Structure formats: C-alpha cells, structure tokens
Amino acid sequence: NAGVTQTPKFRVLKTGQSMTLLCAQDMNHEYMYWYRQDPGMGLRLIHYSVGEGTTAKGEVPDGYNVSRLKKQNFLLGLESAAPSQTSVYFCASSSPHFTDTQYFGPGTRLTVL
Amino acid sequence: AQSVTQLDSQVPVFEEAPVELRCNYSSSVSVYLFWYVQYPNQGLQLLLKYLSGSTLVKGINGFEAEFNKSQTSFHLRKPSVHISDTAEYFCAVSGPSGYSTLTFGKGTMLLVSP
C-alpha cells in the first residue's frame, strides 16, 4: 500500500498563476483533508471532505478550491496564486470519524514568487 | 471553538535524559486529544490519543501522555530520549464529542543532542 501520496512534491509559481495539487489515498478512507504548514503556525485546515462529492471549509479556505469527484482523490486548486500562499501543503485521510487516526502524505512545497 | 497552546517552541535535551512537552487546551466541553510527530521532511504520524478511559495514554516509541481535566493539559513525556526522537511534535484537539475537525497547536521542536 502506498498510503497517501501527493503530486507534485515541489512547485514554483509566479503570482497570478494557477495550479492543482493532487492527493490520492489507497486505504478506502471516507474523510480527506488539506492542511497548510507555515513556520511557527502549526497546521491549519484549508478544506476537508467527509465523502465523495462533498467538501467543507476549514480554518483558512480563502484563495483555495477543492473537489472530491472520486473517493480516493482530493484535489486542491489555487486559481490565482499569491505570495501569501507560499507554504508546505499536506493532505491527510482517515476513517469516517474526526477522532480516527489521520494518515498524512509527504507534503508539497509550494513557492509563489 | 477549541484552541491548543504548546508552551515551548523548542526543547533541547541530551540523549538518555527525560523530556516533557507541554500542551494545554481550552474547551468547556468534552474533548479528544492527540499528539502527532513530524520527522524532518516527512508528513505527520500519530503518536498517541486520548478518547476516554485511563488518563495515562501510552503511545509508540516509548512516549506517554497524561490527560488532566482540571488543569486542561495533555503533556507528553518520555523517560529517556534518543537521537532519533529529534522531530517536531504537535498537540491537537477535537471536540465536542469528536464531531469536529482537529485543531493543531503550533508545535514543539525536540532537539536531542549526544
């Protein structure tokens, strides 16, 4: 089992460009999450999904959109990247309860110039 | 809304010494508490969690934590650390009754030196 994988691992964007981060899990988990990690800020939840076709906003959703068309995939989109979105992005998945263990991907390091 | 405070951003310690990483939460309702660890250049993995029952929770790699409701704390301890324990440790809370997403603290970097 690969667990949770994220594509790409690194990306550099210019301000105003768009991109999509892909998260895939092979554990048949219902719940999936996108976090961003910034120095001294811990992890902050961007969006999450409790099932295929459903998404919800987290703590810091502005500037991001998500889609969960297939159970195993959770996509995070940046329509018009800003330098404030420079961060490390982590995807996680879990069984269908918020107290279940979350399994994290290796992260995507995004730099917006 | 819940919040988590990790009192130390960095904890330096010598190998084989004991360590305690502090975590306090603020919530007036029942909560569930977690410790996750992030090794360099990796994602997070669960160390341990408290959902109910015994207030002393044992986790992986010899770590344990004690839930103290009166002090709203969930401190992480290890009696003897190893170089390989060097990592960032995150306390997190979910509540009430587990029907909400996790809120993470800002993290404590544990630096173990020989």
Side-chain angles (χ1 to χ4, degrees):
Chain A
N1 285 352
V4 179
T5 58
Q6 292 182 233
T7 309
K9 289 184 169 54
F10 303 93
R11 186 71 186 270
V12 178
L13 290 178
K14 294 181 180 178
T15 297
Q17 288 185 319
S18 63
M19 78 163 294
T20 300
L21 282 66
L22 171 64
C23 175
Q25 53 96 2
D26 62 4
M27 294 174 282
N28 202 35
H29 283 161
E30 291 289 337
Y31 286 16
M32 296 187 75
Y33 314 82
W34 275 109
Y35 295 92
R36 60 178 289 173
Q37 183 179 29
D38 302 292
M41 297 295 290
L43 271 75
R44 293 180 292 170
L45 183 64
I46 305 170
H47 285 279
Y48 64 100
S49 168
V50 298
E52 183 178 317
T54 70
T55 62
K57 294 181 180 179
E59 179 186 356
V60 289
D62 294 342
Y64 305 95
N65 56 76
V66 288
S67 65
R68 183 104 182 265
L69 298 179
K70 292 184 179 182
K71 184 178 183 179
Q72 64 268 32
N73 295 337
F74 195 27
L75 278 63
L76 178 71
L78 286 73
E79 290 186 346
S80 180
S84 61
Q85 294 177 304
T86 293
S87 187
V88 181
Y89 292 87
F90 287 99
C91 176
S93 70
S94 75
S95 298
H97 203 282
F98 291 121
T99 56
D100 288 337
T101 301
Q102 291 189 22
Y103 294 87
F104 284 78
T108 294
R109 186 173 295 274
L110 175 66
T111 302
V112 183
L113 302 175
Chain B
Q2 300 82 34
S3 66
V4 175
T5 302
Q6 292 186 244
L7 297 163
D8 305 296
S9 60
Q10 198 167 298
V11 173
V13 65
F14 288 109
E15 195 174 17
E16 298 184 6
V19 70
E20 178 179 83
L21 305 183
R22 297 179 292 170
C23 172
N24 286 89
Y25 66 93
S26 65
S27 177
S28 60
V29 296
S30 62
V31 295
Y32 301 91
L33 294 154
F34 306 77
W35 277 99
Y36 279 82
V37 60
Q38 183 180 32
Y39 297 104
N41 299 313
Q42 294 186 25
L44 280 70
Q45 58 181 277
L46 181 70
L47 265 182
L48 51 80
K49 61 182 175 182
Y50 172 78
L51 302 183
S52 64
S54 172
T55 56
L56 183 63
V57 181
K58 294 190 183 298
I60 61 171
N61 301 338
F63 283 92
E64 63 181 33
E66 186 155 20
F67 171 60
N68 188 319
K69 188 175 182 179
S70 63
Q71 297 187 4
T72 60
S73 68
F74 190 54
H75 300 334
L76 182 69
R77 302 188 187 99
K78 186 170 183 178
S80 175
V81 295
H82 191 265
I83 296 284
S84 59
D85 292 322
T86 293
E88 190 151 26
Y89 293 77
F90 294 94
C91 183
V93 61
S94 173
S97 302
Y99 290 101
S100 71
T101 55
L102 294 187
T103 299
F104 284 87
K106 295 184 177 181
T108 297
M109 186 68 203
L110 176 64
L111 297 166
V112 183
S113 54

